[in-house]
Amino acid sequence: MVETSQARGNFIHRTCCRICGSTKLDKFLSLGPSPLANNFLRVDQLNKKELHYPLDVYFCNKCHLVQLLDIVPPEVMFKDYAYITSASKPMELHFAGLAKDVVNNFKVSKDSLVVDIGSNDGTLLQYFSKMGLRILGIEPASNIAQIARKRGVTTINKFFSKDCAIKIYKKYGFADIILATNVFAHLDNLENILYGIDYLLSKDGVFVIEVPYLINLLDNIEFDTIYHEHLSYFSIYPLIYLFQKFGMKIVDIKQIPIHGGSIRIFVKRLTKKQSQNVSKFLSTEQNAEIDSLKIYTKFAKKVALVKERLVKLLKTLKNEKIRITGYGATAKGNTLLNYCKIGPDILDYISDTTPYKQGRYTPGMHIPIFPEEKFHREPPNYVLLLAWNYADEILQKEQKYRQKGVKFILPLPVPKIL
Ligand code: TYD
């Protein structure tokens, strides 16, 4: 096992809930200290001190938001970012579907402006552009914003805020569609963001967010999706509370199968219309008792059990001199690897299709990352599926190797050999 030289990074500790301001917060799970999950290291960084931060999860007894309170400055996390949407084909398909869903169900005109907050490499916006709409991306990671611009997507390299919204309005006018996919959970100051949305959204416009759903996280023990970038783990209840403060209302919700189970939420200014889906989601949440701390205490116990079983399985295989690798150098994989202390003594390497990650090492555990060609050239006996959110696609794609005897290990909700 490679010993990591750790240092404590700077962070801010919140003392109240980021949605309702309550101080009645209970810590129910501790996964840290951990390095930042997307901080893949170059070889020359391996011997330097690596910053670690607490990774503790809290439950708000008032509005029920599940959240992290130790906040790593966003400039540290998002300035140079490893996640590129177009590296994952299933995400491209997903975004094509999202664009259709929005345009088919909400009023847009030829000159409607679509603003995407956390627009990454512009993949989602390009689908709206193909439909003839005006597009604008807001992306704080400069390396990713550059990629988007090269693809022809006008991108502002900034964090979205009220000030940013005012500037956009002055230059481009109101937006009929504002999107925030897989970014809303990353934001600490939700009120400032909502002020910005409120300012920029046209009177009849729609704000669309996609976030991983707390119920799926709890049901499938997806504890690895907990890392410093994800500050909130949303259910509907606290979101209603948040939007109400701004005279906005959730008008529809759809369950979507990405990132281990997410929800697509459509928000408009107060209107009488509301799909029955909203009350269905709320009653599911009530039945799951997500308003009670005991559910979270139980969850923490299940997490400890996954760790125990997975480590036992991998160590048993390793003792039999079996070659194991990892599949997909995911951020969530880094929570799993660091929490379970699975290092290069267990996984020879991790294969990944993202050029940025190839040749680098995973944060904390320092497992080398190689292109997937290595996996195909020298297939291991077992492979730990760290990108389990793409399990169907990956198992299909690697069928030939599975037929040759390569066995996939699914870590969650109970470690399982496929
Ligand atoms: P992602 O879904 O973004 O998970 P996280 O948010 O936890 O980082 O990452 C998926 C990773 O898996 C990404 O680095 C690309 C990689 N990948 C492969 O290597 N092969 C594949 O076939 C697929 C679908 C993804």
Side-chain angles (χ1 to χ4, degrees), residues 33-279:
S34 309
L36 299 179
N38 267 311
N39 199 23
F40 293 94
L41 303 171
R42 296 186 309 267
V43 70
D44 60 292
Q45 294 173 308
L46 288 180
N47 295 323
K48 296 192 179 141
K49 275 212 163 68
E50 200 175 355
L51 298 181
H52 283 56
Y53 304 84
L55 189 53
D56 299 336
V57 198
Y58 296 77
F59 167 68
C60 170
N61 287 280
K62 187 176 172 201
C63 77
H64 312 156
L65 181 68
V66 171
Q67 58 196 297
L68 305 188
L69 296 176
D70 297 313
I71 298 145
V72 180
E75 309 78 63
V76 176
M77 281 194 287
F78 303 117
K79 265 289 161 234
D80 195 28
Y81 201 48
Y83 177 77
I84 295 174
T85 309
S86 57
S88 296
K89 284 278 161 268
M91 265 331 262
E92 291 203 1
L93 290 176
H94 168 73
F95 280 149
L98 166 57
K100 263 196 213 142
D101 191 14
V102 177
V103 170
N104 289 345
N105 291 299
F106 294 89
K107 219 169 58 196
V108 285
S109 63
K110 264 279 169 224
D111 61 344
S112 281
L113 174 68
V114 186
V115 173
D116 189 13
I117 300 172
S119 50
N120 201 271
D121 60 2
T123 300
L124 173 57
L125 281 175
Q126 282 193 330
Y127 292 109
F128 286 96
S129 176
K130 279 183 196 151
M131 295 180 204
L133 306 183
R134 289 187 299 139
I135 57 168
L136 178 66
I138 320 290
E139 173 51 55
S142 48
N143 61 325
I144 310 279
Q146 246 173 347
I147 297 173
R149 286 177 186 147
K150 276 192 193 143
R151 300 173 84 194
V153 176
T154 307
T155 304
I156 298 175
N157 180 208
K158 273 211 164 71
F159 287 98
F160 184 78
S161 63
K162 186 174 181 194
D163 285 350
C164 178
I166 294 171
K167 283 186 188 136
I168 295 172
Y169 167 72
K170 283 187 179 153
K171 191 159 176 194
Y172 301 91
F174 288 119
D176 284 338
I177 301 170
I178 302 183
L179 308 158
T181 61
N182 281 306
V183 66
F184 212 59
H186 298 55
L187 307 168
D188 182 35
N189 193 345
L190 289 173
E191 289 213 349
N192 187 289
I193 302 300
L194 260 291
Y195 277 120
I197 305 287
D198 191 26
Y199 194 95
L200 188 60
L201 193 66
S202 64
K203 201 166 145 251
D204 201 28
V206 62
F207 175 42
V208 186
I209 67 175
E210 283 189 359
V211 283
Y213 191 30
L214 178 68
I215 294 278
N216 298 113
L217 188 157
L218 295 174
D219 283 354
N220 304 323
I221 334 283
E222 296 165 357
F223 73 90
D224 55 348
T225 61
I226 298 170
Y227 45 90
H228 302 97
E229 290 171 24
H230 296 162
L231 296 174
S232 305
Y233 302 86
F234 287 112
S235 54
I236 304 301
Y237 191 81
L239 283 171
I240 289 178
Y241 191 107
L242 174 70
F243 293 128
Q244 245 167 15
K245 282 203 239 177
F246 291 84
M248 292 182 195
K249 184 170 169 180
I250 296 180
V251 291
D252 201 3
I253 309 169
K254 289 177 183 171
Q255 176 85 48
I256 45 173
I258 58 157
H259 293 304
S262 297
I263 38 177
R264 179 177 298 161
I265 301 172
F266 300 89
V267 181
K268 295 195 73 165
R269 292 182 200 288
L270 280 186
T271 149
K272 286 206 175 102
K273 283 187 201 154
Q274 186 175 56
S275 152
Q276 285 184 345
N277 291 339
V278 180
S279 47

Side-chain angles (χ1 to χ4, degrees), residues 37-38 40 81-85 87-91 224-225 227 229-230 259 327-334 350-354 357-358 370-372 386-391 393-394 397-398:
N38 267 311
F40 293 94
Y81 201 48
Y83 177 77
I84 295 174
T85 309
S88 296
K89 284 278 161 268
M91 265 331 262
D224 55 348
T225 61
Y227 45 90
E229 290 171 24
H230 296 162
H259 293 304
Y327 200 108
T330 53
K332 65 176 92 53
N334 290 326
I350 297 174
S351 54
D352 195 284
T353 48
T354 317
K357 297 179 184 175
Q358 296 160 1
F370 286 95
E372 63 177 354
L386 299 166
W388 51 255
N389 48 321
Y390 294 120
E393 293 87 341
I394 291 171
K397 185 170 130 187
E398 307 300 357

